[in-house]
Amino acid sequence: MATVAEALALAVRYHRAGALSQAEPIYRQILSLDPQHVVALHLLGVIAHQRGDNDRAIDCITRALRLKPDYVEAHANLGVVLRELGKRDEAAASYREALRHKPDYADALNNLGIVLRDQGKLEEAVACYRQALRLQPDDPEVRNNLGIALEELGKPEEAVACYRQALRLRPEYVEAHSNLGGALTRQGKLDEALVCLRRAISLKADCAEAHNNLGVALIEQGKWDEAEASLRHALRLQPHYAEAHTNLANVLREQGKPDEAVAHSREALHLEPHYAEAHNSLGAALVDQAKVAEAAACYRQALALKPDYADAHHNLANALREQGRPDEAIAGYRQALRCRPDHVEAHLNLGMTLLLLGRFEEGWPEYEWRRRCREFPPSPFPQPWWDGSDLSGKTILLSAEQGLGDTLQFIRYVPLVKQRGARVIVGCPPPLLRLLETSAGIDHLAGSRAGLPPFDVQASLLSLPGIFGTSLATIPAAVPYLRADAASAERWRQELSPVRGFKVAIAWHGNPTNKDRQRAAPLAQFAPLARLEGVRLLSLQKGDGAEQLPALAGRLAILDLASCIDDFRDTAAVLANVDLVITVDTALAHLAGALGVPVWVALRWAADWRWLRHREDSPWYSTMRLFRQPEPGNWEAVFERMAAELRDRCLPMGSPCGKTSPTCAPQGGGPEGQV
């Protein structure tokens, strides 16, 4: 018959092999013979933990410790169970007790480091990991854990070095590959990150963390569909993975699916109510639903949990700006920058908010941070950026950026650059090429890189106001600085001559790729204008938004000219023959302003920085009037006010509406579709 020692040795062999069902009855048999056998009692508790019965585990292990208070391994394993139960303080106490009896216990030091990291005591955690490594220098798991803590301490380079060391010790260490990939993603080294993450997945296809990290790397590349697929796969593997729910919510927001984004953020918070990143993500999704006040509450909750959370400070500032509280927003951006001085979006939004308040001297330098944003394409040219220095005898390339309206607004600076003695090349989008042939100071106009002449320095058009130190008082505001082609204008004069009455060119939908997706009003909002006797609405809307015209045929009399227009030179020729332009914040507003055509711009509650605050005029365009929403979402008040002013001030100059149709037929048919 086997002795107790022999039985214990057999049970331990089974246990180490993972054969719990063979080991457990032997431990029980030993305890039936010796109820105070501390080793069997302790290991029976370990099996209970492995089976998920942590209450039973704690009972067995604490009974063993009552019998043998200096039982080091039991203290350490009790710590493991307590940490899993979320009892971090008690878990740390158990590890410390193990170390009191055995100071060179490397596993206990590693586990204590894990608990301390859970508690946010990162410096102490790092100290534990380093002590464990002095005892066991070749332990890849401790190297990996040290990397995690160092990254959270804001030491990414040291963290990457730890992950690489872990992989040298264990080349197929899945978690280290995944963590290295995540760290490289955060450093912007996306190609290398993807290699690491795909290696992790090749080693362990069901590693949810690696699929989550791959999703994050794909987000950084703007590959939203692939990112969504990776994150959904992570959640199939681990449905209660709060971080993956949060990341998926961010992807769904970018894809214009705010309802789904809110659902995943709420699920993340259901799983981890104190997950600051999920509160932040939920806030962002609520902003997309125009629930700004609720979003601000989410950001504040995130900051209550994580006061140094730069992204939450930044997002709260965005919400405050959206609520019309720019001074508070500025304070929020500055707080975000105290937490993370290189927070690109916080710098940029701080700049735009300062510009919104007319604080141009402070705002332009911050606005330059836009060139570091992921969405900003890097220059393909090696030539240096112009800093405002003398240009005599040099050639400069001025590049368009962002939207067509931005180019139209800031092309006014070309003559100032020309005055510095430069030969000026302007690169612009093809739709503007023929129009900008009329712009002063341009020596060469290019619509692509092909055939671009040599140049010495480069600058973005939107950087010129800062380079010239533009203030509200020094905006180069003389208009017109663009002109319609005389022959085209005459052709359109003849085309529109049968249209009687006060001719109003309209557009209601901005560029859908613009980050500000709210630069649009429903076409139906123009109804008060369309009902005015003697007013003829001429649609110049192309692309997104134009599909609203057929739906309103028979209800609004609108002459659709868009199909007769090829580019902005044609549009300028049309504008030379209208009495007024009415548009939301689109390129059409800038074109009308640059041509010196009267233009009314309908602005949403939180309008773009260039329109400043509380003004009905624009220092950029002398012929422009601004009509602002009195509260978020209220377009009705804007267009009712426009209709009232048009009726009272403008229509006496107009003439009755005729009935003859021009070449470009109006949208719709019957009496209401006639001109």
Side-chain angles (χ1 to χ4, degrees), residues 544-585:
D544 285 82
E547 75 284 349
Q548 297 177 41
L549 272 168
L552 293 172
R555 293 171 53 197
L556 299 183
I558 299 175
L559 177 63
D560 185 11
L561 302 182
S563 61
C564 303
I565 294 172
D566 290 331
D567 62 10
F568 275 76
R569 189 173 80 159
D570 288 341
T571 306
V574 173
L575 297 191
N577 291 282
V578 302
D579 299 296
L580 178 66
V581 175
I582 295 181
T583 179
V584 295
D585 183 359

mmCIF file of all heavy atoms in Angstrom, residues 544-585:
data_model
loop_
_atom_site.group_PDB
_atom_site.id
_atom_site.type_symbol
_atom_site.label_atom_id
_atom_site.label_comp_id
_atom_site.label_asym_id
_atom_site.label_seq_id
_atom_site.Cartn_x
_atom_site.Cartn_y
_atom_site.Cartn_z
ATOM 1 N N ASP A 544 -24.002 65.010 -53.172
ATOM 2 C CA ASP A 544 -24.850 64.719 -52.016
ATOM 3 C C ASP A 544 -25.773 65.889 -51.732
ATOM 4 O O ASP A 544 -25.352 67.051 -51.723
ATOM 5 C CB ASP A 544 -23.980 64.431 -50.789
ATOM 6 C CG ASP A 544 -23.335 63.065 -50.854
ATOM 7 O OD1 ASP A 544 -22.286 62.956 -51.522
ATOM 8 O OD2 ASP A 544 -23.874 62.121 -50.270
ATOM 9 N N GLY A 545 -27.035 65.570 -51.484
ATOM 10 C CA GLY A 545 -28.049 66.580 -51.232
ATOM 11 C C GLY A 545 -28.935 66.830 -52.433
ATOM 12 O O GLY A 545 -30.118 67.171 -52.288
ATOM 13 N N ALA A 546 -28.383 66.656 -53.639
ATOM 14 C CA ALA A 546 -29.173 66.909 -54.848
ATOM 15 C C ALA A 546 -30.340 65.936 -54.975
ATOM 16 O O ALA A 546 -31.347 66.253 -55.629
ATOM 17 C CB ALA A 546 -28.279 66.834 -56.079
ATOM 18 N N GLU A 547 -30.220 64.764 -54.337
ATOM 19 C CA GLU A 547 -31.293 63.775 -54.436
ATOM 20 C C GLU A 547 -32.580 64.248 -53.750
ATOM 21 O O GLU A 547 -33.654 63.653 -53.933
ATOM 22 C CB GLU A 547 -30.836 62.447 -53.823
ATOM 23 C CG GLU A 547 -30.779 62.397 -52.309
ATOM 24 C CD GLU A 547 -29.569 63.119 -51.723
ATOM 25 O OE1 GLU A 547 -28.656 63.491 -52.501
ATOM 26 O OE2 GLU A 547 -29.524 63.318 -50.491
ATOM 27 N N GLN A 548 -32.499 65.337 -52.959
ATOM 28 C CA GLN A 548 -33.695 65.857 -52.299
ATOM 29 C C GLN A 548 -34.612 66.611 -53.263
ATOM 30 O O GLN A 548 -35.796 66.807 -52.966
ATOM 31 C CB GLN A 548 -33.292 66.775 -51.141
ATOM 32 C CG GLN A 548 -32.514 66.077 -50.037
ATOM 33 C CD GLN A 548 -32.075 67.040 -48.952
ATOM 34 O OE1 GLN A 548 -32.832 67.929 -48.560
ATOM 35 N NE2 GLN A 548 -30.850 66.875 -48.469
ATOM 36 N N LEU A 549 -34.073 67.050 -54.398
ATOM 37 C CA LEU A 549 -34.892 67.826 -55.343
ATOM 38 C C LEU A 549 -36.101 67.056 -55.873
ATOM 39 O O LEU A 549 -37.226 67.565 -55.822
ATOM 40 C CB LEU A 549 -34.019 68.308 -56.502
ATOM 41 C CG LEU A 549 -33.305 69.649 -56.295
ATOM 42 C CD1 LEU A 549 -32.256 69.852 -57.370
ATOM 43 C CD2 LEU A 549 -34.309 70.790 -56.302
ATOM 44 N N PRO A 550 -35.931 65.836 -56.395
ATOM 45 C CA PRO A 550 -37.108 65.124 -56.922
ATOM 46 C C PRO A 550 -38.182 64.896 -55.867
ATOM 47 O O PRO A 550 -39.385 64.926 -56.189
ATOM 48 C CB PRO A 550 -36.523 63.796 -57.422
ATOM 49 C CG PRO A 550 -35.071 64.071 -57.664
ATOM 50 C CD PRO A 550 -34.682 65.071 -56.632
ATOM 51 N N ALA A 551 -37.763 64.682 -54.626
ATOM 52 C CA ALA A 551 -38.753 64.412 -53.577
ATOM 53 C C ALA A 551 -39.640 65.622 -53.311
ATOM 54 O O ALA A 551 -40.764 65.477 -52.812
ATOM 55 C CB ALA A 551 -38.029 63.999 -52.291
ATOM 56 N N LEU A 552 -39.132 66.827 -53.635
ATOM 57 C CA LEU A 552 -39.910 68.041 -53.368
ATOM 58 C C LEU A 552 -40.514 68.629 -54.637
ATOM 59 O O LEU A 552 -41.047 69.742 -54.610
ATOM 60 C CB LEU A 552 -39.012 69.078 -52.686
ATOM 61 C CG LEU A 552 -38.560 68.698 -51.272
ATOM 62 C CD1 LEU A 552 -37.533 69.684 -50.749
ATOM 63 C CD2 LEU A 552 -39.748 68.629 -50.328
ATOM 64 N N ALA A 553 -40.409 67.887 -55.742
ATOM 65 C CA ALA A 553 -41.013 68.363 -56.993
ATOM 66 C C ALA A 553 -42.515 68.548 -56.791
ATOM 67 O O ALA A 553 -43.197 67.713 -56.208
ATOM 68 C CB ALA A 553 -40.752 67.356 -58.113
ATOM 69 N N GLY A 554 -43.029 69.676 -57.281
ATOM 70 C CA GLY A 554 -44.449 69.961 -57.107
ATOM 71 C C GLY A 554 -44.749 70.706 -55.827
ATOM 72 O O GLY A 554 -45.846 71.241 -55.661
ATOM 73 N N ARG A 555 -43.783 70.753 -54.910
ATOM 74 C CA ARG A 555 -43.989 71.494 -53.649
ATOM 75 C C ARG A 555 -43.166 72.770 -53.616
ATOM 76 O O ARG A 555 -43.606 73.790 -53.085
ATOM 77 C CB ARG A 555 -43.619 70.616 -52.455
ATOM 78 C CG ARG A 555 -44.551 69.423 -52.264
ATOM 79 C CD ARG A 555 -44.008 68.474 -51.218
ATOM 80 N NE ARG A 555 -43.695 69.161 -49.973
ATOM 81 C CZ ARG A 555 -42.912 68.655 -49.018
ATOM 82 N NH1 ARG A 555 -42.356 67.467 -49.193
ATOM 83 N NH2 ARG A 555 -42.688 69.334 -47.920
ATOM 84 N N LEU A 556 -41.952 72.719 -54.167
ATOM 85 C CA LEU A 556 -41.098 73.897 -54.220
ATOM 86 C C LEU A 556 -40.735 74.169 -55.672
ATOM 87 O O LEU A 556 -40.320 73.256 -56.395
ATOM 88 C CB LEU A 556 -39.807 73.685 -53.414
ATOM 89 C CG LEU A 556 -39.927 73.422 -51.918
ATOM 90 C CD1 LEU A 556 -38.540 73.321 -51.296
ATOM 91 C CD2 LEU A 556 -40.735 74.510 -51.230
ATOM 92 N N ALA A 557 -40.895 75.413 -56.106
ATOM 93 C CA ALA A 557 -40.511 75.796 -57.468
ATOM 94 C C ALA A 557 -39.031 76.142 -57.458
ATOM 95 O O ALA A 557 -38.636 77.214 -57.000
ATOM 96 C CB ALA A 557 -41.338 76.984 -57.932
ATOM 97 N N ILE A 558 -38.205 75.207 -57.929
ATOM 98 C CA ILE A 558 -36.757 75.397 -57.929
ATOM 99 C C ILE A 558 -36.230 75.046 -59.314
ATOM 100 O O ILE A 558 -36.504 73.954 -59.839
ATOM 101 C CB ILE A 558 -36.083 74.515 -56.866
ATOM 102 C CG1 ILE A 558 -36.580 74.875 -55.468
ATOM 103 C CG2 ILE A 558 -34.564 74.673 -56.932
ATOM 104 C CD1 ILE A 558 -36.039 73.970 -54.367
ATOM 105 N N LEU A 559 -35.473 75.955 -59.884
ATOM 106 C CA LEU A 559 -34.842 75.715 -61.174
ATOM 107 C C LEU A 559 -33.486 75.067 -60.927
ATOM 108 O O LEU A 559 -32.615 75.651 -60.274
ATOM 109 C CB LEU A 559 -34.670 77.041 -61.918
ATOM 110 C CG LEU A 559 -33.950 76.997 -63.260
ATOM 111 C CD1 LEU A 559 -34.727 76.162 -64.267
ATOM 112 C CD2 LEU A 559 -33.751 78.412 -63.780
ATOM 113 N N ASP A 560 -33.290 73.856 -61.425
ATOM 114 C CA ASP A 560 -32.054 73.109 -61.191
ATOM 115 C C ASP A 560 -31.056 73.403 -62.304
ATOM 116 O O ASP A 560 -31.230 72.991 -63.443
ATOM 117 C CB ASP A 560 -32.361 71.612 -61.130
ATOM 118 C CG ASP A 560 -31.122 70.794 -60.774
ATOM 119 O OD1 ASP A 560 -30.100 71.404 -60.372
ATOM 120 O OD2 ASP A 560 -31.181 69.557 -60.896
ATOM 121 N N LEU A 561 -29.980 74.125 -61.950
ATOM 122 C CA LEU A 561 -28.945 74.471 -62.913
ATOM 123 C C LEU A 561 -27.712 73.581 -62.801
ATOM 124 O O LEU A 561 -26.803 73.685 -63.622
ATOM 125 C CB LEU A 561 -28.507 75.933 -62.710
ATOM 126 C CG LEU A 561 -29.583 77.005 -62.809
ATOM 127 C CD1 LEU A 561 -28.950 78.381 -62.633
ATOM 128 C CD2 LEU A 561 -30.317 76.927 -64.130
ATOM 129 N N ALA A 562 -27.655 72.729 -61.793
ATOM 130 C CA ALA A 562 -26.418 72.004 -61.501
ATOM 131 C C ALA A 562 -25.955 71.152 -62.672
ATOM 132 O O ALA A 562 -24.750 71.032 -62.925
ATOM 133 C CB ALA A 562 -26.600 71.141 -60.255
ATOM 134 N N SER A 563 -26.881 70.559 -63.405
ATOM 135 C CA SER A 563 -26.490 69.678 -64.509
ATOM 136 C C SER A 563 -25.858 70.452 -65.661
ATOM 137 O O SER A 563 -25.217 69.864 -66.531
ATOM 138 C CB SER A 563 -27.706 68.901 -65.014
ATOM 139 O OG SER A 563 -28.690 69.799 -65.506
ATOM 140 N N CYS A 564 -26.031 71.763 -65.666
ATOM 141 C CA CYS A 564 -25.454 72.593 -66.723
ATOM 142 C C CYS A 564 -24.103 73.186 -66.323
ATOM 143 O O CYS A 564 -23.543 73.992 -67.077
ATOM 144 C CB CYS A 564 -26.406 73.739 -67.062
ATOM 145 S SG CYS A 564 -28.056 73.195 -67.549
ATOM 146 N N ILE A 565 -23.613 72.811 -65.160
ATOM 147 C CA ILE A 565 -22.382 73.404 -64.626
ATOM 148 C C ILE A 565 -21.299 72.349 -64.561
ATOM 149 O O ILE A 565 -21.497 71.264 -63.998
ATOM 150 C CB ILE A 565 -22.644 73.989 -63.225
ATOM 151 C CG1 ILE A 565 -23.619 75.165 -63.328
ATOM 152 C CG2 ILE A 565 -21.346 74.426 -62.556
ATOM 153 C CD1 ILE A 565 -24.083 75.682 -61.988
ATOM 154 N N ASP A 566 -20.144 72.644 -65.139
ATOM 155 C CA ASP A 566 -19.032 71.696 -65.129
ATOM 156 C C ASP A 566 -18.088 71.920 -63.956
ATOM 157 O O ASP A 566 -17.630 70.968 -63.330
ATOM 158 C CB ASP A 566 -18.239 71.796 -66.438
ATOM 159 C CG ASP A 566 -19.017 71.257 -67.628
ATOM 160 O OD1 ASP A 566 -19.850 70.354 -67.424
ATOM 161 O OD2 ASP A 566 -18.796 71.747 -68.744
ATOM 162 N N ASP A 567 -17.737 73.175 -63.671
ATOM 163 C CA ASP A 567 -16.760 73.447 -62.629
ATOM 164 C C ASP A 567 -17.050 74.810 -62.013
ATOM 165 O O ASP A 567 -18.090 75.434 -62.293
ATOM 166 C CB ASP A 567 -15.333 73.364 -63.181
ATOM 167 C CG ASP A 567 -15.068 74.387 -64.278
ATOM 168 O OD1 ASP A 567 -15.915 75.288 -64.486
ATOM 169 O OD2 ASP A 567 -14.013 74.287 -64.935
ATOM 170 N N PHE A 568 -16.123 75.313 -61.204
ATOM 171 C CA PHE A 568 -16.383 76.548 -60.476
ATOM 172 C C PHE A 568 -16.311 77.782 -61.375
ATOM 173 O O PHE A 568 -16.837 78.832 -61.014
ATOM 174 C CB PHE A 568 -15.416 76.668 -59.285
ATOM 175 C CG PHE A 568 -15.920 75.949 -58.065
ATOM 176 C CD1 PHE A 568 -15.849 74.568 -57.963
ATOM 177 C CD2 PHE A 568 -16.489 76.652 -57.020
ATOM 178 C CE1 PHE A 568 -16.321 73.911 -56.849
ATOM 179 C CE2 PHE A 568 -16.977 76.004 -55.897
ATOM 180 C CZ PHE A 568 -16.894 74.625 -55.810
ATOM 181 N N ARG A 569 -15.655 77.698 -62.546
ATOM 182 C CA ARG A 569 -15.711 78.833 -63.457
ATOM 183 C C ARG A 569 -17.133 79.001 -63.969
ATOM 184 O O ARG A 569 -17.645 80.129 -64.069
ATOM 185 C CB ARG A 569 -14.738 78.670 -64.628
ATOM 186 C CG ARG A 569 -14.648 79.953 -65.463
ATOM 187 C CD ARG A 569 -13.584 79.901 -66.521
ATOM 188 N NE ARG A 569 -14.011 79.160 -67.709
ATOM 189 C CZ ARG A 569 -13.441 79.300 -68.903
ATOM 190 N NH1 ARG A 569 -12.423 80.124 -69.066
ATOM 191 N NH2 ARG A 569 -13.876 78.583 -69.929
ATOM 192 N N ASP A 570 -17.805 77.878 -64.273
ATOM 193 C CA ASP A 570 -19.212 77.955 -64.675
ATOM 194 C C ASP A 570 -20.071 78.512 -63.543
ATOM 195 O O ASP A 570 -20.957 79.336 -63.763
ATOM 196 C CB ASP A 570 -19.722 76.574 -65.074
ATOM 197 C CG ASP A 570 -19.146 76.106 -66.403
ATOM 198 O OD1 ASP A 570 -18.666 76.949 -67.177
ATOM 199 O OD2 ASP A 570 -19.170 74.887 -66.652
ATOM 200 N N THR A 571 -19.800 78.033 -62.325
ATOM 201 C CA THR A 571 -20.581 78.506 -61.183
ATOM 202 C C THR A 571 -20.407 79.998 -60.999
ATOM 203 O O THR A 571 -21.371 80.733 -60.729
ATOM 204 C CB THR A 571 -20.152 77.762 -59.907
ATOM 205 O OG1 THR A 571 -20.240 76.352 -60.115
ATOM 206 C CG2 THR A 571 -21.036 78.149 -58.733
ATOM 207 N N ALA A 572 -19.162 80.489 -61.138
ATOM 208 C CA ALA A 572 -18.908 81.926 -61.008
ATOM 209 C C ALA A 572 -19.689 82.701 -62.059
ATOM 210 O O ALA A 572 -20.221 83.794 -61.787
ATOM 211 C CB ALA A 572 -17.415 82.193 -61.139
ATOM 212 N N ALA A 573 -19.783 82.152 -63.265
ATOM 213 C CA ALA A 573 -20.527 82.834 -64.327
ATOM 214 C C ALA A 573 -22.011 82.916 -63.991
ATOM 215 O O ALA A 573 -22.672 83.927 -64.275
ATOM 216 C CB ALA A 573 -20.313 82.095 -65.647
ATOM 217 N N VAL A 574 -22.559 81.861 -63.385
ATOM 218 C CA VAL A 574 -23.954 81.901 -62.944
ATOM 219 C C VAL A 574 -24.125 82.974 -61.873
ATOM 220 O O VAL A 574 -25.067 83.782 -61.913
ATOM 221 C CB VAL A 574 -24.399 80.528 -62.412
ATOM 222 C CG1 VAL A 574 -25.791 80.626 -61.797
ATOM 223 C CG2 VAL A 574 -24.382 79.489 -63.520
ATOM 224 N N LEU A 575 -23.211 83.006 -60.898
ATOM 225 C CA LEU A 575 -23.334 83.960 -59.795
ATOM 226 C C LEU A 575 -23.249 85.402 -60.274
ATOM 227 O O LEU A 575 -23.790 86.312 -59.626
ATOM 228 C CB LEU A 575 -22.257 83.696 -58.743
ATOM 229 C CG LEU A 575 -22.313 82.338 -58.024
ATOM 230 C CD1 LEU A 575 -21.353 82.316 -56.835
ATOM 231 C CD2 LEU A 575 -23.716 82.005 -57.569
ATOM 232 N N ALA A 576 -22.575 85.613 -61.391
ATOM 233 C CA ALA A 576 -22.509 86.972 -61.942
ATOM 234 C C ALA A 576 -23.869 87.443 -62.444
ATOM 235 O O ALA A 576 -24.033 88.635 -62.751
ATOM 236 C CB ALA A 576 -21.490 87.021 -63.073
ATOM 237 N N ASN A 577 -24.842 86.520 -62.501
ATOM 238 C CA ASN A 577 -26.152 86.848 -63.072
ATOM 239 C C ASN A 577 -27.301 86.599 -62.097
ATOM 240 O O ASN A 577 -28.451 86.437 -62.528
ATOM 241 C CB ASN A 577 -26.367 86.038 -64.350
ATOM 242 C CG ASN A 577 -25.458 86.480 -65.472
ATOM 243 O OD1 ASN A 577 -25.711 87.498 -66.116
ATOM 244 N ND2 ASN A 577 -24.375 85.741 -65.695
ATOM 245 N N VAL A 578 -27.006 86.531 -60.799
ATOM 246 C CA VAL A 578 -28.061 86.372 -59.809
ATOM 247 C C VAL A 578 -28.069 87.586 -58.900
ATOM 248 O O VAL A 578 -27.111 88.366 -58.843
ATOM 249 C CB VAL A 578 -27.895 85.073 -58.990
ATOM 250 C CG1 VAL A 578 -27.883 83.860 -59.898
ATOM 251 C CG2 VAL A 578 -26.648 85.116 -58.123
ATOM 252 N N ASP A 579 -29.158 87.724 -58.169
ATOM 253 C CA ASP A 579 -29.289 88.852 -57.241
ATOM 254 C C ASP A 579 -28.750 88.532 -55.857
ATOM 255 O O ASP A 579 -28.314 89.428 -55.132
ATOM 256 C CB ASP A 579 -30.767 89.243 -57.129
ATOM 257 C CG ASP A 579 -31.328 89.689 -58.466
ATOM 258 O OD1 ASP A 579 -30.851 90.712 -58.991
ATOM 259 O OD2 ASP A 579 -32.220 88.997 -58.991
ATOM 260 N N LEU A 580 -28.769 87.254 -55.504
ATOM 261 C CA LEU A 580 -28.381 86.864 -54.151
ATOM 262 C C LEU A 580 -28.030 85.386 -54.148
ATOM 263 O O LEU A 580 -28.592 84.607 -54.926
ATOM 264 C CB LEU A 580 -29.550 87.127 -53.172
ATOM 265 C CG LEU A 580 -29.366 86.731 -51.707
ATOM 266 C CD1 LEU A 580 -28.279 87.570 -51.040
ATOM 267 C CD2 LEU A 580 -30.696 86.887 -50.949
ATOM 268 N N VAL A 581 -27.106 85.017 -53.260
ATOM 269 C CA VAL A 581 -26.793 83.604 -53.009
ATOM 270 C C VAL A 581 -27.205 83.301 -51.572
ATOM 271 O O VAL A 581 -26.895 84.066 -50.652
ATOM 272 C CB VAL A 581 -25.290 83.322 -53.191
ATOM 273 C CG1 VAL A 581 -24.961 81.874 -52.807
ATOM 274 C CG2 VAL A 581 -24.861 83.608 -54.614
ATOM 275 N N ILE A 582 -27.899 82.190 -51.380
ATOM 276 C CA ILE A 582 -28.236 81.717 -50.026
ATOM 277 C C ILE A 582 -27.761 80.276 -49.922
ATOM 278 O O ILE A 582 -28.143 79.422 -50.728
ATOM 279 C CB ILE A 582 -29.746 81.808 -49.744
ATOM 280 C CG1 ILE A 582 -30.200 83.279 -49.748
ATOM 281 C CG2 ILE A 582 -30.071 81.166 -48.400
ATOM 282 C CD1 ILE A 582 -31.683 83.473 -49.459
ATOM 283 N N THR A 583 -26.939 80.013 -48.939
ATOM 284 C CA THR A 583 -26.342 78.679 -48.810
ATOM 285 C C THR A 583 -26.006 78.409 -47.361
ATOM 286 O O THR A 583 -25.882 79.334 -46.548
ATOM 287 C CB THR A 583 -25.066 78.588 -49.671
ATOM 288 O OG1 THR A 583 -24.472 77.295 -49.515
ATOM 289 C CG2 THR A 583 -24.034 79.644 -49.275
ATOM 290 N N VAL A 584 -25.859 77.141 -47.033
ATOM 291 C CA VAL A 584 -25.239 76.792 -45.761
ATOM 292 C C VAL A 584 -23.732 76.980 -45.935
ATOM 293 O O VAL A 584 -23.269 77.494 -46.959
ATOM 294 C CB VAL A 584 -25.589 75.348 -45.339
ATOM 295 C CG1 VAL A 584 -27.076 75.215 -45.064
ATOM 296 C CG2 VAL A 584 -25.148 74.349 -46.388
ATOM 297 N N ASP A 585 -22.958 76.582 -44.947
ATOM 298 C CA ASP A 585 -21.502 76.790 -44.967
ATOM 299 C C ASP A 585 -20.872 75.845 -45.993
ATOM 300 O O ASP A 585 -20.473 74.728 -45.680
ATOM 301 C CB ASP A 585 -20.950 76.530 -43.562
ATOM 302 C CG ASP A 585 -19.464 76.791 -43.462
ATOM 303 O OD1 ASP A 585 -18.852 77.158 -44.477
ATOM 304 O OD2 ASP A 585 -18.917 76.624 -42.357
#
